[in-house]
Amino acid sequence: MPILRRTPLRGIPSRRSPLPAESAASRTTAYVYGNVIVLAALVPLSEDELLAGTAILIVLGTALSTFLAHLFAAAVGAGMGEEQSSGWKSVRHHVRNAVPVLTAGFVPAALLVLVWLELASSTPVVIAAEVLLVLRIGSTGMVATRLRGEPSSLRSLLIGVAFSLVGAAVVAIKVVLTH
């Protein structure tokens, strides 16, 4: 019996109704992309940006602008497909699938508010926000199986660990090349 069998993990139920494969894939992509981009924005923040509150705007602005770019790219990509759908139903579909990009910045920005209000020192708050995002990236395997309506398994957990390592490497490359 292989070690990566699909044994369900207790306490993490599957969805009642699985998403269509295209929507599950799109939301998973948005989830990973949003977390990686927000983490890459968080890593190089300076102490001055943290204390002045501009770090909050940088994180929220990164999440929002990435959400809009992801939404635009998804809409353009969908227009290239055989099934060109238009109207509000299509817009809602793309927005729902892109929302995970946007939500990646909410909790890190809320944590940064603590530094701006001088309720906490910057180093532990930034580390907590970074760890949170790495854990979110690491939960990708479980999120994807849940969106497909399957229970999480040891395999999905181990895939998430690998995703965390790859995501951290991508962030390191982005920070080195762009800052």
Side-chain angles (χ1 to χ4, degrees), residues 136-157:
R136 282 178 54 105
I137 295 166
S139 71
T140 301
M142 291 185 289
V143 168
T145 56
R146 186 172 190 284
L147 290 174
R148 290 190 311 258
E150 303 168 4
S152 294
S153 64
L154 177 59
R155 180 176 183 265
S156 61
L157 181 65

Side-chain angles (χ1 to χ4, degrees), residues 13 23 26 39 43 55 81 110-111 129 155:
S23 288
S26 180
L39 181 58
V43 168
L111 289 172
R155 180 176 183 265

Side-chain angles (χ1 to χ4, degrees), residues 89-161:
K89 184 177 179 183
S90 177
V91 170
R92 280 193 318 268
H93 170 77
H94 291 302
V95 168
R96 285 189 67 167
N97 287 345
V99 163
V101 173
L102 187 60
T103 61
F106 292 168
V107 174
L111 289 172
L112 295 178
V113 168
L114 298 175
V115 176
W116 179 55
L117 294 175
E118 298 180 6
L119 298 174
S121 60
S122 61
T123 301
V125 168
V126 170
I127 290 171
E130 292 167 348
V131 167
L132 169 74
L133 290 167
V134 170
L135 290 173
R136 282 178 54 105
I137 295 166
S139 71
T140 301
M142 291 185 289
V143 168
T145 56
R146 186 172 190 284
L147 290 174
R148 290 190 311 258
E150 303 168 4
S152 294
S153 64
L154 177 59
R155 180 176 183 265
S156 61
L157 181 65
L158 293 176
I159 288 170
V161 171

Side-chain angles (χ1 to χ4, degrees), residues 30-45 55-67 99-110 112 126 129-130 132-134 136-137 167 170-171 174-175 179:
Y31 183 80
V32 172
Y33 192 59
N35 287 308
V36 168
I37 295 299
V38 171
L39 181 58
L42 192 61
V43 168
L45 293 174
I56 300 162
L57 298 176
I58 290 169
V59 168
L60 291 175
T62 298
L64 179 60
S65 62
T66 304
F67 166 76
V99 163
V101 173
L102 187 60
T103 61
F106 292 168
V107 174
L112 295 178
V126 170
E130 292 167 348
L132 169 74
L133 290 167
V134 170
R136 282 178 54 105
I137 295 166
V170 169
V171 168
K174 184 194 182 305
V175 170
H179 291 91

